[in-house]
Amino acid sequence: MPGRIVEIADDHRHLSLLRGFLVVESTGADRQEMGRVPLDDIAAVIANAHGLSYTNNILVACAERGIPFVLCAANHNAIGLLLTIEGNSLQAGRMQAQLSSSKPLQKQLWACLVRAKLAQQAWVLAETGKPTAPVTALISKVRSGDSGNIEAQGAQRYWPLLFGTSFRRDRTVEGINSLLNYGYTVLRAAMARAVVAAGLHPTLGLHHHNAGNAMCLVDDLMEPFRPLIDYCVWKLCQKSQEFITPETKQELVYVLYQDVASPQGRTPLMHAIQQLATSLAQVYVGERFELELPEPGVLDELLDDIN
């Protein structure tokens, strides 16, 4: 089973370690235990509230198990991430291969990710009853390194079709944007864990290269999965659930546990994320030639229970 995403969403909580469990307590004079989760069951911890405190022991225990500890800003975007530096026994060799990978190879891999993202966006448009041709027409135009910036062209066509012509992607705006922020934060945490577990360095990206971004590779590899978050947000909006609430956050986290079709068969999205990161490591060391990308869409009836 994929691990659980544990979000600390209530203010004034204290996190500590006790016999292999993450323990969450209220703070103040009447401190009470609010819950505990076995560390072995956790895929990521998302700290998304004010007044949180942690013991050093719980942070070390998370790092030892490769559990990303995500720190969120007020707009629900990930602003910091605690990751292990000892994620894989093959780490040294794979990182060396990652460092020495050729620019042409990086460009080819980025083009594959962009094509996969566009195909996923087209699936979302089809599922939401929108025309797909404006996006599918772009897929064959993606060249090595996406030199024509087709990804951006796809975004210019995709967002107005999905959310209307008045929609603008803006991380600082509430409503749809805040739902997208939160969904992408969850996805980013899962991808960060997968990258480290694959023995790769999260900063050494294929395309993203912002000097201030420590997660360039994570941001590259999560691109084909972003449209599934978009689809979840669209479904929530159809039910007039356009703001961050405990219920909408739960639905966004649930996307990670939906099944997708992969070259190895039906698998939870969380596993597909790991397969992609691992396949990239294998490409770097010459064990395979192609990335293992999911097929567009999800096999389960995504979010049918939203009401």
Side-chain angles (χ1 to χ4, degrees), residues 90-110 113 195 198-208 216-218 220-221 276-291:
L90 303 174
Q91 182 169 276
R94 288 183 169 181
M95 282 191 182
Q96 189 60 46
Q98 182 184 10
L99 273 169
S100 59
S101 63
S102 68
K103 201 66 179 176
L105 175 62
Q106 294 175 20
K107 289 183 175 181
Q108 292 170 19
L109 294 170
W110 174 242
L113 293 171
V195 165
L200 298 174
H201 198 295
T203 303
L204 305 175
L206 298 168
H207 172 75
H208 289 86
C216 291
L217 181 60
V218 173
D220 287 335
L221 295 181
L276 174 57
T278 301
S279 70
L280 175 60
Q282 292 170 331
V283 169
Y284 278 142
V285 298
E287 295 177 355
R288 61 184 299 155
F289 298 104
E290 297 179 344
L291 297 175

Side-chain angles (χ1 to χ4, degrees), residues 37-60:
V37 184
L39 286 175
D40 290 340
D41 291 349
I42 298 177
V45 178
I46 298 176
N48 191 20
H50 300 285
L52 303 182
S53 59
Y54 327 98
T55 65
N56 187 61
N57 284 347
I58 189 61
L59 298 180
V60 170

Side-chain angles (χ1 to χ4, degrees), residues 69 82 172 214 221 255:
F69 200 101
L82 174 67
T172 65
L221 295 181
V255 174

Side-chain angles (χ1 to χ4, degrees), residues 139-304:
I139 297 175
S140 62
K141 296 181 180 179
V142 179
R143 300 290 181 262
S144 177
D146 190 23
S147 55
N149 203 11
I150 302 299
E151 185 207 11
Q153 295 182 39
Q156 291 173 355
R157 302 180 182 188
Y158 171 73
W159 290 120
L161 286 169
L162 185 60
F163 290 122
T165 54
S166 62
F167 175 77
R168 296 289 182 275
R169 180 71 183 114
D170 186 339
R171 296 181 180 181
T172 65
V173 177
E174 292 294 324
I176 292 174
N177 278 287
S178 63
L179 290 172
L180 292 170
N181 289 346
Y182 185 80
Y184 294 157
T185 291
V186 173
L187 180 60
R188 200 181 194 207
M191 182 57 76
R193 178 186 176 116
V195 165
V196 173
L200 298 174
H201 198 295
T203 303
L204 305 175
L206 298 168
H207 172 75
H208 289 86
H209 57 273
N210 186 329
N213 181 9
M215 295 290 151
C216 291
L217 181 60
V218 173
D219 292 340
D220 287 335
L221 295 181
M222 65 186 279
E223 293 293 351
F225 301 100
R226 284 180 184 266
L228 298 179
I229 297 296
D230 306 339
Y231 180 52
C232 178
V233 171
W234 181 87
K235 295 275 283 186
L236 289 167
C237 291
Q238 299 312 296
K239 303 292 184 182
S240 300
Q241 299 182 39
E242 299 183 2
F243 295 94
I244 289 290
T245 66
E247 291 75 23
T248 56
K249 288 192 289 188
Q250 183 177 3
E251 297 297 344
L252 288 163
V253 170
Y254 184 58
V255 174
L256 295 179
Y257 303 97
Q258 293 290 309
D259 279 354
V260 297
S262 76
Q264 296 184 18
R266 181 173 178 147
T267 187
L269 179 60
M270 188 87 85
H271 284 172
I273 287 172
Q274 185 62 63
Q275 288 170 352
L276 174 57
T278 301
S279 70
L280 175 60
Q282 292 170 331
V283 169
Y284 278 142
V285 298
E287 295 177 355
R288 61 184 299 155
F289 298 104
E290 297 179 344
L291 297 175
E292 188 160 319
L293 291 159
E295 302 291 333
V298 292
L299 296 180
D300 288 352
E301 293 296 324
L302 181 61
L303 305 175
D304 274 354

